Amino acid sequence: MPADDPYLTAPAAAALLGVTLPTLYAYVSRGLLASEPAPGTTRARRYRREEVERLCARRELRQHPEEAAPRALAWGEPVLDSALTLIDGTRLFYRGRDAIELSRGLRVEEVAALLWTGDEAAAGSLFPRGAGRGEASLLATLRGRRLSPVERLQALLPLAAAADGAAWDLRPEGVTRCGARILRLATAAIAGRAPHREGIAATLAAAWRLDGKVRRGARDPRPALSAALVLSADHELNVSTFAARCVASAAATPWDAVAAGLAALKGARHGGQAHRMQALLREAAATSPTDAVADWLRRGESLPGFGHRLYPAGDPRGAELLAVAGRVAARTADLAPVRALAAAVQEVTGDPPNVDLGLAALAAALRLPAGGAQALFALGRTIGWVAHAIEEYGRGRLIRPRARYVGPPPATPAAHPGPG
């Protein structure tokens, strides 16, 4: 059975767990594991590889905590339950629905409502047209400062939080309403202007002067912007989301959870990959894509925008965003550097594009200002941070792992000399 197959047969699942088939079936009957009919058969059952691996990790953590716990903080090892996002090795799902299909059929506000409440129809009440006041005055406090879109958001979050007394209502309905306020403020901060009455994508299109494309008969860029935000919305327990959940577990406000997520996202190993992506594209344009790729590898640097450990066969978000970029590009030449780089990397390493290259491609296609790709990623991921905060408030427990001390042993107290 291929290692990237998201399903296991009953014998394979039992072997991975190190149990007999009757024990495997007992796990199913006790609700510890789910099975489903295997296609093309009448009796055989199959098991999700990810769910079997999660059960393996839980058993190992109980039996050998000193060995399993360090790995629980590394790539791919499940550490807590969530009903939001499933990554099965080839596809991405939000609440059991294919994220690619959602990006094609729903507006970003509807996907936010789906992740927060389970019902996309709630978007109508959460994001009424023309709602939101005070964003313009908050933006005015930053007038004259040279900040990137993400830096504007980071600067405005604590100011907006301080003025929002309702943020301490940590019931699901209260957090959902607060999430809508956060997303409106985040949109205004990223765009550098008050929200457009038509919603998030319209706000970005107006701020980045993309509306003229529609007037000239080009393809409407707003669905493309919405799709990018949807595909950036969540990716289960990445570092920024885990940071947001830790803060939410302390019963801090959703504003604080989002601020924590944003701080982590700015790091070079996470959302900061957008800056490395642009640097690689500049080097490829200055020399040649093949030479730039070789130079990065020669320096021992990983190639931003390519490959993903959770998608052995390729990141579906990257492929979709490249296709979206191709549809909205005003000129084929705008995407030529991105496509040439992708071809060079494919030839040298065989790695397919991931979401970072997809966002860079869309930024090039729409000729977004500097920082546009990272801005889309941060704004979209804000939705996921709020969704995870809602889950964490519902858990009602503090995330508090233990550290295993590996420093020098405590000094032995000096013996006091006896009398005489």
Side-chain angles (χ1 to χ4, degrees), residues 149-218:
V150 172
E151 288 168 339
R152 277 199 303 270
L153 175 55
Q154 194 170 33
L156 291 178
L157 279 171
L159 297 177
D164 188 5
W168 290 102
D169 180 0
L170 302 185
R171 295 173 298 174
E173 299 82 3
V175 180
T176 301
R177 289 191 294 269
C178 183
R181 296 192 295 274
I182 292 172
L183 193 55
R184 279 193 293 269
L185 184 279
T187 302
I190 292 296
R193 55 155 287 163
H196 193 288
R197 67 184 306 273
E198 295 296 328
I200 295 171
T203 303
L204 297 179
W208 291 336
R209 301 179 180 178
L210 303 179
D211 288 340
K213 294 178 180 290
V214 181
R215 289 194 293 272
R216 294 194 297 270

Side-chain angles (χ1 to χ4, degrees), residues 9-21 24 52 56:
T9 63
L16 186 58
L17 287 164
V19 300
T20 63
L21 284 174
L24 176 72
V52 174
C56 283

Side-chain angles (χ1 to χ4, degrees), residues 5-397:
D5 191 329
Y7 292 98
L8 296 169
T9 63
L16 186 58
L17 287 164
V19 300
T20 63
L21 284 174
T23 301
L24 176 72
Y25 302 146
Y27 286 165
V28 175
S29 65
R30 289 158 52 193
L32 297 176
L33 199 62
S35 69
E36 58 186 75
T41 65
T42 56
R43 298 183 61 186
R45 310 288 292 181
R46 66 181 185 175
Y47 304 79
R48 282 196 175 274
R49 180 187 296 273
E50 183 183 39
E51 191 174 350
V52 174
E53 291 174 345
R54 183 183 296 120
L55 182 56
C56 283
R58 287 176 180 167
R59 292 171 63 226
E60 186 178 2
L61 185 59
R62 288 195 301 270
Q63 296 168 4
H64 305 287
E66 72 286 351
E67 297 176 5
R71 292 199 299 275
L73 297 179
W75 269 90
E77 196 73 45
V79 296
L80 56 79
D81 293 339
S82 173
L84 296 174
T85 296
L86 169 66
I87 301 169
D88 73 358
T90 58
R91 299 166 68 191
L92 173 68
F93 299 87
Y94 296 157
R95 293 195 180 274
R97 297 168 64 178
D98 189 300
I100 301 297
E101 296 301 325
L102 291 174
S103 74
R104 296 170 180 172
L106 297 184
R107 296 180 301 116
V108 62
E109 290 90 348
E110 292 173 312
V111 173
L114 174 66
L115 282 169
W116 296 350
T117 72
D119 180 11
E120 66 264 33
S125 59
L126 285 172
F127 304 101
R129 288 188 174 187
R133 296 179 295 275
E135 290 88 1
S137 60
L138 281 172
L139 286 169
T141 64
L142 302 181
R143 189 173 293 124
R145 297 178 181 270
R146 297 185 61 183
L147 301 173
S148 72
V150 172
E151 288 168 339
R152 277 199 303 270
L153 175 55
Q154 194 170 33
L156 291 178
L157 279 171
L159 297 177
D164 188 5
W168 290 102
D169 180 0
L170 302 185
R171 295 173 298 174
E173 299 82 3
V175 180
T176 301
R177 289 191 294 269
C178 183
R181 296 192 295 274
I182 292 172
L183 193 55
R184 279 193 293 269
L185 184 279
T187 302
I190 292 296
R193 55 155 287 163
H196 193 288
R197 67 184 306 273
E198 295 296 328
I200 295 171
T203 303
L204 297 179
W208 291 336
R209 301 179 180 178
L210 303 179
D211 288 340
K213 294 178 180 290
V214 181
R215 289 194 293 272
R216 294 194 297 270
R219 190 181 292 268
D220 187 349
R222 290 172 293 186
L225 293 171
S226 181
L229 296 173
V230 168
L231 294 176
S232 301
D234 193 43
H235 211 231
E236 46 121 303
L237 286 185
N238 52 80
V239 62
S240 62
T241 298
F242 191 63
R245 287 194 79 126
C246 286
V247 170
S249 80
T253 73
W255 293 95
D256 298 318
V258 168
L262 185 62
L265 180 135
K266 284 182 63 182
R269 295 193 183 103
H270 191 17
Q273 288 288 301
H275 298 304
R276 298 184 69 239
M277 183 76 260
Q278 292 303 318
L280 178 56
L281 283 167
R282 285 194 298 270
E283 287 192 30
T287 56
S288 76
T290 302
D291 288 343
V293 169
D295 287 342
W296 277 60
L297 294 174
R298 191 177 295 115
R299 295 195 299 262
E301 296 189 50
S302 61
L303 296 173
F306 297 91
H308 199 296
R309 298 187 195 185
L310 299 182
Y311 300 107
D315 185 344
R317 301 169 300 170
E320 178 69 11
L321 286 171
L322 280 168
V324 170
R327 291 195 292 269
V328 298
R331 299 184 310 157
T332 304
D334 290 337
L335 277 180
V338 176
R339 288 173 171 159
L341 178 62
V345 173
Q346 179 65 34
E347 180 180 353
V348 174
T349 70
D351 289 334
N354 63 29
V355 68
D356 295 313
L357 187 77
L359 290 170
L362 185 60
L366 295 176
R367 301 182 186 180
L368 300 186
Q374 187 188 43
L376 287 172
F377 187 53
L379 182 56
R381 191 54 55 89
T382 299
I383 295 168
W385 295 331
V386 172
H388 281 271
I390 293 170
E391 274 198 339
E392 201 56 50
Y393 295 134
R395 271 186 2 117
R397 286 181 289 167

